[in-house]
Amino acid sequence: MGEERGARAACAHALAVLRVRGRALAVASLPAAFAVVLLAGGGTGHLSGAGWDAARWVVSVLAVVVLVAAAAVAAVIARARPALTPTVEIPEASAPDLYRMVQDLAGRLDVPVPSGIALTPDCDSWLEDRTHPAHGRPAVPGVHRSDTPPVLVIGSPFLWWMRVAELRAVLAPVVAGTGPSAHPDIAAARRFVRGLDAAVAVADRPGLDPVRRLAARPVGAVVRVLLRGCREHAAEMERGVAAAASERAQNVDYGLRIVAQEQVGLAYAGWDRLLTRVALPAWRMGRWPSRLDAGVVSALTELSRRDRLAEGFTSRLGERPACDLLEEPGLVDEATSLLAARLFHGGPAEGGPDWAPVDWQQYPDEVVDRKWRTEAARLHRVLDRLGVDRDAEATLARVMDHLSTTRTGEALAAAITAEVSREATARPPAAEAAPEAPGTGARAGHETPAGAGHETPDPAPAPDAETGPYAESGRPAQVPSAAPQQPGPAPHQASARPEEPIRPQPGPHSGPQPGPQSHPQSHPQSHPQPHPGPEPAEDLAPAPKPAPPPISVPGDLDHAAWGPGGDALPLFPLQPPRSGRELLADHVTAMVCCAAVDTAGAAPGLDWLDGPTLLVGGKRHPDLAGRVLSLIEDADPEPLRSWLATVGVRPDKPVRLV
């Protein structure tokens, strides 16, 4: 490691961490040293007598006990598996250009080349040591495991949103960190801290018998003491390493780094909106969007348009996107999208009938329409159980009359919350029933016998009141080149090359659509308004390439290594549990949307920043939420009735339910 600012401080704090380890060894060896002195004194005749004999026995027994306990603690620390970030491994054959770029960066920075590249469904990049034998990575021939460079983990949204030059500028200080990682003192200190961190979670690892779990408690107490002793030094060591890496990388693409950092912040904002507003509703319906990274391009382009930033950001789309460094971006996008669903929602590691991929063109019909009709069916089923007009049809008027004539909002919200929790606890397989004709839609608990399959509860758990543990498959899932698709148009392969945002293709309920939107790359100075609804997608599929090595999603995430509670999915829930009032508002809104689709010619749509949306005449109506809240909170139906009359919705007409 060179003489950059922070390098010496990092080495000094690394030695301080190692001194904590040395003091612990000294304390563990102290009783044994006293026992050796007493035994040697007795053997030479200098320490004789009954008192010295008793002291020798006591100290010797104490030394044996302490040494056994120290050996047990050391064994637990050495054998504990450090936490491993779930990522999608990218073999060199699948991204030779990306590997060459990283190797060139390492050469210019005069640091070791990362031992591999992996992608994470998050807006961050870092180096991760995966040399522990429990991680299962093969050792590099002729190189000791402790000398193997770390793996470079890259946030997948960066590859699709950033240009090649921007990605290079962002990765320069990260790759520069392989230099400090090769320093023996820093490497030893990091291994010690990672071992302590992993050993803390041993007592909470599932599958331990009561005896081993009881024995692990005191070991965990000792490990926590050691962690407290070296925590501050470890933190300062990492700060010094970061400062040294940043200083070393200043001479590489320094002028572009400011622009690239702006893109990092923008990517994070768009990625968060895409996950919470667009992906989460699909996950709750048992569908996982298979092109999340490509969708972030559309979301960020829409965000830049709404914020009047089109000149600065859409003009970038003419440059080469970083995902061009991958041989098969579509396969990689699909793998990271599935991993994102696992981490943030808790879905299984592979697709299936109850956990199927959905393309953006199919999103309005496969997700939005089914979501509304599922929630509408649940709302009417709850009304049936509450005894509200049992013989009434599934109409919006039934819901509005109940909420406006009686102060039962709290009771209805509590009943919906209980119904959602009950369905999450005993979640049957998702049904693919087609919507019924108006007036004949079955409602569970009313016209349809129990278990008939017309009700489609969310087949995957969600990080809120609708969640329930989803059984893991326990096997790694290899993402095939042709994953199961829903009926409809062919998957949009343009996700591999996001020179322009993806536009969902209209489905059978999409209604009239506006004309094609101007390509932002062709008119960088224009400020087109956000497109009011889904538009036909262009075919930007690249030329066929030879099949690359398979891209796998990790099946066993080793949740216990993440600490207490880490054995449950999702590891990183997106939202806190929703209140009963919020659930009731969602269900009433869904009922309004179903009535608008069935009686007023409206259509389900996808907004890249707000998720499911209602399109009336090809335009959004964002003022619906406040009118629904007036009905729920104030028992005042007039604002909603006025809106329904303006749109042309017939609240007395039955709607189709699933």
Side-chain angles (χ1 to χ4, degrees):
M1 193 164 71
E3 295 299 324
E4 295 87 1
R5 181 180 57 184
R8 293 184 178 179
C11 291
H13 287 288
L15 292 175
V17 172
L18 296 178
R19 281 195 293 271
V20 173
R21 184 183 65 179
R23 293 191 190 103
L25 293 175
V27 171
S29 303
L30 192 59
F34 278 117
V36 170
V37 171
L38 291 176
L39 291 174
T44 58
H46 290 83
L47 301 176
S48 59
W52 287 110
D53 291 339
R56 272 189 288 272
W57 277 103
V58 171
V59 174
S60 298
V61 172
L62 178 62
V64 171
V65 172
V66 172
L67 288 177
V68 171
V73 173
V76 170
I77 294 175
R79 293 172 59 87
R81 179 174 181 173
L84 182 64
T85 306
T87 57
V88 175
E89 301 286 338
I90 304 298
E92 186 171 0
S94 296
D97 292 342
L98 180 60
Y99 272 81
R100 277 193 294 269
M101 186 189 76
V102 173
Q103 292 166 2
D104 179 67
L105 269 178
R108 293 183 60 183
L109 295 168
D110 194 22
V111 296
V113 180
S115 60
I117 298 177
L119 297 186
T120 177
D122 199 0
C123 292
D124 200 359
S125 297
W126 66 89
L127 295 172
E128 184 166 287
D129 184 6
R130 299 185 175 182
T131 58
H132 195 279
H135 290 158
R137 291 180 60 88
V140 180
V143 180
H144 193 270
R145 281 188 177 271
S146 61
D147 298 329
T148 302
V151 172
L152 174 62
V153 181
I154 306 174
S156 62
F158 294 164
L159 285 173
W160 269 259
W161 176 245
M162 289 186 174
R163 309 297 99 178
V164 173
E166 293 169 349
L167 180 66
R168 180 188 179 91
V170 167
L171 294 182
V174 182
V175 174
T178 59
S181 299
H183 192 277
D185 293 336
I186 294 178
R190 283 177 166 175
R191 286 195 300 270
F192 177 59
V193 174
R194 283 197 303 270
L196 294 178
D197 186 65
V200 170
V202 169
D204 299 301
R205 186 179 296 274
L208 291 180
D209 56 80
V211 176
R212 295 173 61 189
R213 190 175 300 277
L214 181 63
R217 296 297 179 183
V219 174
V222 174
V223 170
R224 289 185 178 89
V225 172
L226 295 176
L227 272 177
R228 285 194 295 269
C230 63
R231 179 180 294 127
E232 292 186 5
H233 291 295
E236 292 299 327
M237 176 186 68
E238 296 301 337
R239 291 191 185 97
V241 168
S246 178
E247 183 175 353
R248 173 169 292 197
Q250 282 185 354
N251 295 328
V252 178
D253 300 331
Y254 180 75
L256 192 60
R257 195 173 308 164
I258 298 177
V259 178
Q261 288 301 325
E262 293 178 354
Q263 301 306 317
V264 170
L266 187 67
Y268 185 87
W271 183 247
D272 180 73
R273 291 288 290 265
L274 187 73
L275 291 181
T276 56
R277 306 290 181 88
V278 179
L280 188 56
W283 293 338
R284 288 172 176 160
M285 295 304 301
R287 297 290 185 268
W288 51 277
S290 59
R291 297 294 186 266
L292 277 180
D293 291 305
V296 78
V297 178
S298 297
L300 291 172
T301 304
E302 186 67 30
L303 180 63
S304 66
R305 288 171 181 161
R306 295 186 186 182
D307 288 346
R308 304 296 184 183
L309 300 173
E311 306 103 273
F313 292 111
T314 57
S315 61
R316 301 169 48 258
L317 300 181
E319 304 173 17
R320 186 189 183 196
C323 66
D324 268 353
L325 300 174
L326 305 173
E327 288 294 299
E328 290 289 344
L331 290 179
V332 176
D333 195 355
E334 187 172 5
T336 54
S337 299
L338 182 55
L339 180 58
R342 295 208 68 198
L343 297 179
F344 301 125
H345 182 67
E350 56 186 2
D354 306 329
W355 188 238
V358 60
D359 204 67
W360 291 124
Q361 293 91 340
Q362 303 162 355
Y363 186 96
D365 293 316
E366 290 292 330
V367 176
V368 181
D369 189 73
R370 292 181 65 244
K371 171 184 182 294
W372 289 343
R373 300 191 186 280
T374 298
E375 292 179 348
R378 184 183 294 123
L379 178 60
H380 282 282
R381 183 172 62 250
V382 169
L383 290 176
D384 290 341
R385 293 186 177 179
L386 293 177
V388 179
D389 296 334
R390 288 183 177 273
D391 296 330
E393 294 182 297
T395 64
L396 176 59
R398 182 194 190 201
V399 178
M400 296 178 62
D401 292 342
H402 177 68
L403 290 174
S404 59
T405 57
T406 57
R407 293 281 182 174
T408 56
E410 293 293 340
L412 186 56
I416 288 180
T417 302
E419 179 74 6
V420 168
S421 301
R422 183 187 65 82
E423 292 177 4
T425 303
R427 193 181 303 276
E432 299 294 339
E436 301 287 341
T440 61
R443 299 200 306 271
H446 190 57
E447 293 92 344
T448 304
H454 292 284
E455 171 70 14
T456 310
D458 304 345
D464 53 23
E466 299 187 31
T467 59
Y470 203 109
E472 298 177 47
S473 62
R475 328 185 280 278
Q478 178 175 305
V479 179
S481 57
Q485 299 291 334
Q486 299 302 311
H492 193 281
Q493 298 299 331
S495 59
R497 302 287 187 267
E499 284 83 357
E500 74 170 309
I502 301 172
R503 303 183 185 93
Q505 187 174 11
H509 304 293
S510 296
Q513 300 298 326
Q517 188 174 357
S518 299
H519 196 301
Q521 176 180 328
S522 303
H523 305 281
Q525 304 301 325
S526 62
H527 291 275
Q529 295 299 320
H531 52 277
E535 302 178 10
E538 300 179 20
D539 186 8
L540 302 179
K545 294 184 178 181
I551 306 295
S552 299
V553 176
D556 180 13
L557 299 186
D558 190 22
H559 310 124
W562 291 83
D567 57 334
L569 286 171
L571 294 179
F572 310 103
L574 292 178
Q575 292 180 342
R578 290 182 291 175
S579 65
R581 183 72 65 176
E582 292 172 330
L583 286 173
L584 177 58
D586 289 345
H587 285 67
V588 174
T589 302
M591 186 63 200
V592 174
C593 293
C594 289
V597 171
D598 291 346
T599 67
L606 166 61
D607 185 276
W608 290 111
L609 298 178
D610 296 327
T613 186
L614 180 67
L615 304 177
V616 180
K619 298 181 179 180
R620 295 181 58 200
H621 279 261
D623 55 346
L624 177 59
R627 301 171 189 270
V628 171
L629 289 179
S630 297
L631 174 64
I632 293 175
E633 297 180 353
D634 304 327
D636 182 11
E638 292 309 317
L640 183 57
R641 291 188 190 277
S642 175
W643 184 90
L644 296 175
T646 302
V647 175
V649 178
R650 296 284 303 275
D652 57 323
K653 292 292 185 179
V655 300
R656 294 176 287 124
L657 304 178
V658 294

